[in-house]
Amino acid sequence: MGGVEWLMDREHRVLSGAMKAALRLIYPAQCLCCGAGVADGGEGAVHLCAECWPEAAFITGACCDCCGAPLPDDGTGAGAVLVCDDCLGAVRPWTRGRAAMVYAGTGRRLVLALKHGDRLDLAGPMAGWLAQAAAPLALPDMIVAPVPLHLRRLIRRKYNQSAQISGRVAHRLGLAHVPDLLVRLRHSPAQDHRSVADRFANQDGALAVHPRHAAAVAGRPVLLIDDVMASGATVHAAASALLAVGAGPIAVAVVARAVKDH
């Protein structure tokens, strides 16, 4: 970089920093969940108040290597591969998985606010948390793709919350993002209040790889992004569709993981 370019870059960074400082004075930092004022820890800080923070169960310790569910530390030490009982007893078409937080308390409120409350401002922080959790899953030449919405649901919501997160995760991990890699072949009723068997039946055959990407994805690893994993039926359908066209290995990363104890 030449002298003039260096000075211009430095001036841009100084002005950018000054503008951010001014905005923080005008618009003090607020809790992402409840809106209460919080101390500004700077860019990248987790802005949650003293009431919401204890209910935000970030998964930072031992977890299932397949679905990301938190597990008790059994003393096997760092680097040990742990798998939960659910994944041991189920056929998973993906190989590894991670989750940023537990789907309960603050985590549940944040996910629902993004999904149903037009809180697009949450996509950035959630993507930051998820990128950190999913970093061990990244592979060379990996494609990042969201679980898609059916057009009917997309029109109603105005955006796909998983795609809002997946693009930012891909950018943070330095991976290719293909937002339309998967498509929904049919509208599926909501998964809420269904049995595990009904959830899998509801999603069976509902997803497919977009024909324009089928050749390009063959033989390439894929990181599937979704907002929540409960039974795993939705990501099971997505991963199965990818394997059907020769993609793989498949990894899964979700913002929040539903667990039995919560």
Side-chain angles (χ1 to χ4, degrees):
M1 183 181 292
V4 174
E5 290 83 355
W6 181 85
L7 286 173
M8 291 179 65
D9 180 68
R10 181 177 181 275
E11 186 173 301
H12 173 76
R13 284 186 282 110
V14 170
L15 288 173
S16 177
M19 290 179 64
K20 288 178 180 178
L23 286 172
R24 284 195 292 268
L25 288 174
I26 300 171
Y27 302 105
Q30 294 180 314
C31 174
L32 291 170
C33 190
C34 72
V38 295
D40 188 357
E43 189 173 354
V46 178
H47 288 150
L48 293 173
C49 69
E51 284 71 34
C52 294
W53 171 258
E55 294 187 17
F58 288 96
I59 303 173
T60 57
C63 68
C64 174
D65 193 59
C66 189
C67 73
L71 295 175
D73 188 350
D74 62 359
T76 54
V81 176
L82 306 175
V83 180
C84 71
D85 291 341
D86 285 346
C87 289
L88 284 173
V91 177
R92 303 294 199 194
W94 67 90
T95 56
R96 304 186 69 195
R98 289 294 186 275
M101 60 201 313
V102 172
Y103 186 61
T106 295
R108 182 176 183 275
R109 289 193 292 272
L110 290 173
V111 167
L112 293 178
L114 173 61
K115 181 182 290 190
H116 301 298
D118 291 335
R119 288 286 309 276
L120 280 171
D121 59 296
L122 296 175
M126 286 181 174
W129 303 336
L130 188 54
Q132 185 174 358
L137 308 179
L139 295 172
D141 202 34
M142 181 174 250
I143 294 173
V144 179
V147 171
L149 291 179
H150 188 270
L151 181 59
R152 187 190 307 178
R153 189 161 288 156
L154 182 61
I155 291 173
R156 187 169 69 247
R157 289 188 188 168
K158 298 172 286 199
Y159 57 86
N160 178 1
Q161 71 280 356
S162 297
Q164 292 292 324
I165 295 168
S166 64
R168 292 170 170 86
V169 170
H171 178 73
R172 287 174 177 266
L173 296 180
L175 300 173
H177 183 231
V178 184
D180 63 341
L181 180 61
L182 290 160
V183 294
R184 286 219 172 243
L185 301 178
R186 58 178 173 80
H187 176 70
S188 302
Q191 295 279 78
D192 300 344
H193 311 301
R194 291 174 177 267
S195 68
V196 172
D198 284 345
R199 287 172 183 245
F200 276 85
N202 188 41
Q203 294 296 323
D204 186 36
L207 300 173
V209 173
H210 196 298
R212 84 160 64 106
H213 299 303
V217 77
R220 294 183 65 178
V222 177
L223 176 62
L224 280 172
I225 302 292
D226 206 359
D227 54 350
V228 180
M229 184 195 300
S231 65
T234 303
V235 291
H236 186 282
S240 296
L242 288 163
L243 290 180
V245 298
I250 314 298
V252 172
V254 297
V255 174
R257 179 73 169 98
V259 296
K260 294 177 181 177
D261 291 340
H262 291 75

